[in-house]
Amino acid sequence: MVQKIDATDVTEEEALNAAFFERADEFIKYANEFCRPAKGQQVKPNEIRGQVSASMLFATARFNTWVAANNFKDGNEMRDAKEQVMSYVLQQFQMMLEDNYDEYCEQFENYLRFRHNEEFHANKHDHDH
C-alpha cells in the first residue's frame, strides 16, 4: 500500500530537493537515450558512453558559464570574478563526483549487474557465421 503524502507535510527544502533530483534524473534519462546506438549502427558501449559524457561535460560547462554571466554587468566584471566562480563550480562538482563515486563503489554489483549481458549483446555479431 502506497502512503499518500499531503503537500503540507513537505517542507520547502524537501520540495526543492525533489525538484533537484527530478531534473537530474531527466538529464540522465536523455544521456542514456544518447548512449543507445541507432539501428544498424555498431558502436561499442564504452565508446558511445565516453562521447556522451564529453558532451554532457561541455554542456554543463557552457550552461554554468551562462548562469554565471547573468550575475555580472559586463565582461570585465565577469573576468575579475573568474577565479571565484571557477573555484565554486569545481568544488561543487568535486563534492558531487566524490559522493556518486563512493556510492557506486558501495553499490557496484547492484548498479552494474547487467553490464556483462549488455557487452554480450553488443558484441554477439562481431564474428563470422
Side-chain angles (χ1 to χ4, degrees):
M1 180 171 157
V2 177
Q3 180 183 0
K4 224 175 178 186
I5 298 174
D6 187 338
T8 58
D9 294 341
V10 178
T11 66
E12 184 177 349
E13 184 178 351
E14 289 169 331
L16 290 173
N17 284 339
F20 172 89
F21 286 110
E22 285 173 18
R23 281 190 302 271
D25 286 346
E26 285 297 309
F27 288 125
I28 293 167
K29 184 174 105 179
Y30 285 124
N32 286 332
E33 289 174 17
F34 283 123
C35 287
R36 290 185 188 93
K39 285 189 178 190
Q41 186 182 26
Q42 297 244 343
V43 180
K44 295 179 180 170
N46 285 341
E47 257 180 48
I48 198 160
R49 285 184 199 125
Q51 293 167 4
V52 171
S53 177
S55 295
M56 283 186 69
L57 281 171
F58 178 82
T60 299
R62 186 74 178 183
F63 186 78
N64 279 293
T65 301
W66 176 78
V67 168
N70 279 278
N71 291 304
F72 302 106
K73 66 179 181 197
D74 59 34
N76 288 328
E77 185 180 66
M78 184 176 176
R79 192 173 291 107
D80 291 342
K82 181 178 179 179
E83 190 174 320
Q84 181 183 357
V85 171
M86 294 287 145
S87 177
Y88 173 77
V89 171
L90 292 172
Q91 178 186 39
Q92 292 298 305
F93 181 77
Q94 184 171 359
M95 287 184 341
M96 292 175 191
L97 181 60
E98 286 178 0
D99 286 348
N100 281 282
Y101 201 94
D102 291 345
E103 180 182 343
Y104 263 76
C105 289
E106 292 296 318
Q107 297 292 325
F108 191 86
E109 288 78 17
N110 265 347
Y111 289 170
L112 295 173
R113 67 182 178 268
F114 299 113
R115 178 175 54 175
H116 297 297
N117 203 15
E118 177 187 73
E119 288 171 356
F120 171 78
H121 290 295
N123 296 316
K124 71 179 180 180
H125 301 291
D126 287 350
H127 56 82
D128 293 329
H129 290 277

